[in-house]
Amino acid sequence: MSTTTIASPIGADFFADVQIPTIPDVARELIGTLHDDDIPFETVRSAIARDPALAAKLIRLANSARFGLRRQVASLDDAITMVGLNQVRTLAMAACLGSSFSAVRGVDSKAFWQESMAIAGYAQWLARTLGTDVQQSWLAGFMVRLGELIIAQKLPDRIDEIERMPHFAGGRWEREQSMLGFTESAVTAELARRWNFPDSIVRALETASDPLQHEPFCRLGGILHIATLLAELELDEHKSHPDAIAALPHDVVTALQLDSAWLTTHMPDVESFIDTPLY
C-alpha cells in the first residue's frame, strides 16, 4: 500500500556535520526483514545468534517478570519459542538501537531510556486495543525520542532549554517546534529513513508530534502521540490513571476511536514497562 510522503521540516544542512550512529550489522539485517510479509525464521535466528551478547540480553529479558513464563528460558531458541519470533526480533532491534547511541550532555540517559521504554509499552497497549500491529507500534514507540540525541549533538546550546524543568506532557515538542521549527520525532523519522525502515514507521514518526496536521490521518502516528503523552504524564507529572487519560487531547483520542472510560479502567502501570532495561 502506498503512503503519502511528507516534506521534511528539517533543513538540508542539519545532518551535514552530524555523526549519525552506525547501527550493528545484525540490526540492518533485522530491519531488512521488516519489509517481508512472512518473517524469515532462520534469517532472524541466525542474525541474533551471531551476536552472543545480544542473544544473552534477550534471554535475560525473556526471563523477566514482564513475560511471566512458566519455565526458565535457557537459550535463544527457547526465547523464540516461548516469547515469539516477532517479539524477539523487535526487542533485538531495540537493543541494537539503544546501544548505538552514546550519552550526550544535557540529556539524562536513565530518564531518556526509561521514557522510551514506557512510550513503547503504551504504544503496544494502544495498538493491541485498536487491533493494529503491536510489534511495529512497540518498536516505533521505542524509537520516537531518538532524534533528541541527535539534536543535543548538533545544537548543544539549545538542549538545556529543550529539557527545561519541570517537564509537562507535550512541552518538549512545543519547545522544539518553537526553537527549531521541527521536533525530535521528525529527526527520528529521517534516521529511520536512512536506516531503511519501512515507510509505515517513517511516516508514523513524521506525524507523531502533531498527527492531526497531516492528511490522511496516520493511525500509528496518533498512537505514538498518545503513548508519548501517557509516558510523560506518568513519569514526569505523576498523574493518576484517570487524570492522565483526562489530560489527553480529545481530538486525537476521537480520531483513534478510543474510549476514554475503557482506557481509564484498563491503563497499565508505567512501572510494568521499565522493569527490565534494554539500554
Side-chain angles (χ1 to χ4, degrees):
M1 183 174 64
S2 62
T3 57
T4 302
T5 300
I6 299 172
S8 175
I10 306 170
D13 62 339
F14 179 82
F15 285 91
D17 56 355
V18 168
Q19 292 183 336
I20 296 176
T22 301
I23 58 176
D25 290 341
V26 59
R28 292 188 180 280
E29 193 166 352
L30 294 175
I31 290 169
T33 69
L34 292 173
H35 297 271
D36 297 334
D37 291 333
D38 296 318
I39 306 173
F41 175 89
E42 190 52 41
T43 300
V44 173
R45 184 196 175 282
S46 62
I48 296 173
R50 287 196 297 273
D51 187 334
L54 176 60
K57 182 179 287 189
L58 294 173
I59 291 168
R60 173 173 57 83
L61 183 63
N63 284 313
S64 70
R66 174 184 308 182
F67 293 105
L69 300 179
R70 294 182 178 179
R71 67 176 178 85
Q72 193 81 357
V73 170
S75 67
L76 177 60
D77 285 348
D78 275 352
I80 291 173
T81 298
M82 299 175 70
V83 176
L85 180 64
N86 200 342
Q87 186 148 44
V88 167
R89 176 183 64 171
T90 299
L91 294 171
M93 282 186 285
C96 289
L97 291 173
S99 64
S100 297
F101 285 82
S102 301
V104 292
R105 186 196 68 78
V107 178
D108 182 327
S109 291
K110 181 178 179 180
F112 179 91
W113 292 115
Q114 282 189 337
E115 186 171 307
S116 294
M117 293 288 285
I119 296 169
Y122 281 124
Q124 186 176 53
W125 170 60
L126 291 167
R128 185 175 290 115
T129 300
L130 294 169
T132 192
D133 190 319
V134 295
Q135 296 306 323
Q136 187 176 99
S137 299
W138 191 97
L139 182 59
F142 181 81
M143 294 172 62
V144 72
R145 290 209 55 214
L146 293 180
E148 189 187 24
L149 301 179
I150 300 296
I151 293 172
Q153 178 196 144
K154 173 74 175 184
L155 303 168
D157 57 320
R158 303 288 185 91
I159 199 64
D160 290 338
E161 175 62 18
I162 290 172
E163 281 293 319
R164 187 178 71 229
M165 299 293 285
H167 289 158
F168 65 91
R172 188 181 291 108
W173 282 329
E174 291 179 10
R175 291 191 291 273
E176 289 169 345
Q177 189 65 46
S178 175
M179 296 169 59
L180 309 176
F182 54 84
T183 64
E184 60 193 31
S185 60
V187 178
T188 309
E190 180 59 26
L191 291 176
R193 184 180 290 108
R194 294 181 182 212
W195 286 331
N196 198 34
F197 274 87
D199 289 345
S200 56
I201 289 182
V202 173
R203 187 170 190 277
L205 293 166
E206 287 175 326
T207 63
S209 64
D210 198 355
L212 296 182
Q213 290 299 307
H214 303 281
E215 295 286 348
F217 176 69
C218 175
R219 174 177 276 198
L220 182 51
I223 287 172
L224 296 183
H225 186 86
I226 295 297
T228 301
L229 294 178
L230 285 175
E232 293 176 340
L233 287 162
E234 290 284 289
L235 292 173
D236 297 331
E237 298 191 35
H238 309 291
K239 296 279 191 183
S240 67
H241 289 184
D243 286 347
I245 298 301
L248 295 175
H250 179 72
D251 50 359
V252 181
V253 171
T254 299
L256 287 170
Q257 298 181 316
L258 291 167
D259 183 291
S260 294
W262 188 95
L263 293 178
T264 301
T265 303
H266 295 88
M267 181 176 169
D269 190 85
V270 70
E271 294 298 325
S272 66
F273 299 137
I274 61 177
D275 58 344
T276 305
L278 279 171
Y279 41 91

